[in-house]
Amino acid sequence: AQYFADYYLKFVIAAVIVTVGIIYFVRDVTAPKPEIVLSIAIEGDSIDDANFAKFAEIIEDELNLDTEHERVDVFSTISDIQLQTLLYTSQADVVISTEEKFQKWAETGYFLEPGSTEELSFYNGLPEDQKYYSQYISSEGLYNSEQIKDAEPDGTTLYNYGIYLTGTDKYAKELGGLMESPVAGISVSSGNIGYAVAFLKYMTNR
């Protein structure tokens, strides 16, 4: 009798272990995923993937997020088409890029400037050498040009579409970025402007 009890006990224990495993698996699969409340796209830099997760944790802590429900996503882009798609679909709140690459997006109206929303008024308090200015090329100007690079700006007005992250060493030390003069801007399609502004204020010690 003891033999049979020991024999079947093994199956009972195995069944319990499997059942518990299934319960945890189903819970993990069905549990609601944290909402991405800030997406930061890096263009034109070489950064280790491990640094993205560490940097995201720093920003999550700075923004006082409940990380069970809210997260920050930091990632690099591999092509213009990818970044353009992310901007069109509101999946990139902030873009950090080189001056040359940033200009291409800024000129065609992908970023907000202080005149378009009160939340970006802190740009006005930054030193002039920390502000990034660009002209604007309208969709009509693009349409009338054989190539995008030949499109003419609408007038000579300069708009403060971004800011240089050169006032502190956070980009290099906390993210591991290698760009000498990284420029950051907030997407016009962002649904998280408040968090995006808080992030840029943190990066510029504002």
Side-chain angles (χ1 to χ4, degrees), residues 51-110:
N51 288 1
F52 290 133
K54 294 177 183 177
F55 186 65
E57 290 179 359
I58 292 173
I59 303 306
E60 287 165 354
D61 183 61
E62 181 64 27
L63 298 179
N64 295 315
L65 299 183
D66 174 4
T67 52
E68 286 190 14
H69 303 99
E70 302 170 314
R71 301 303 299 265
V72 170
D73 188 20
V74 187
F75 55 90
S76 62
T77 60
I78 59 175
S79 68
D80 287 352
I81 293 176
Q82 181 196 13
L83 181 53
Q84 186 175 47
T85 300
L86 293 170
L87 290 168
Y88 267 132
T89 56
S90 303
Q91 296 183 72
D93 299 299
V94 175
V95 174
I96 301 175
S97 186
T98 63
E99 291 176 282
E100 180 182 358
K101 291 179 180 294
F102 193 90
Q103 180 181 0
K104 175 177 57 183
W105 303 113
E107 284 183 336
T108 46
Y110 279 94

Side-chain angles (χ1 to χ4, degrees), residues 61-187:
D61 183 61
E62 181 64 27
L63 298 179
N64 295 315
L65 299 183
D66 174 4
T67 52
E68 286 190 14
H69 303 99
E70 302 170 314
R71 301 303 299 265
V72 170
D73 188 20
V74 187
F75 55 90
S76 62
T77 60
I78 59 175
S79 68
D80 287 352
I81 293 176
Q82 181 196 13
L83 181 53
Q84 186 175 47
T85 300
L86 293 170
L87 290 168
Y88 267 132
T89 56
S90 303
Q91 296 183 72
D93 299 299
V94 175
V95 174
I96 301 175
S97 186
T98 63
E99 291 176 282
E100 180 182 358
K101 291 179 180 294
F102 193 90
Q103 180 181 0
K104 175 177 57 183
W105 303 113
E107 284 183 336
T108 46
Y110 279 94
F111 300 121
L112 294 170
E113 50 93 24
S116 58
T117 174
E118 179 64 26
E119 290 178 284
L120 265 68
S121 61
F122 86 96
Y123 279 21
N124 298 326
L126 293 171
E128 278 301 307
D129 61 1
Q130 204 168 348
K131 300 176 184 178
Y132 179 90
Y133 290 96
S134 173
Q135 293 176 308
Y136 171 70
I137 302 174
S138 66
S139 55
E140 183 179 356
L142 292 171
Y143 179 79
N144 292 331
S145 301
E146 291 186 7
Q147 295 186 23
I148 293 177
K149 64 183 180 65
D150 297 326
E152 292 293 330
D154 294 18
T156 58
T157 303
L158 293 174
Y159 299 92
N160 185 192
Y161 284 126
I163 58 176
Y164 289 95
L165 302 182
T166 51
T168 73
D169 59 1
K170 291 178 179 177
Y171 182 79
K173 284 196 171 182
E174 295 182 3
L175 179 58
L178 302 175
M179 275 189 274
E180 290 186 8
S181 301
V183 187
I186 299 176
S187 168

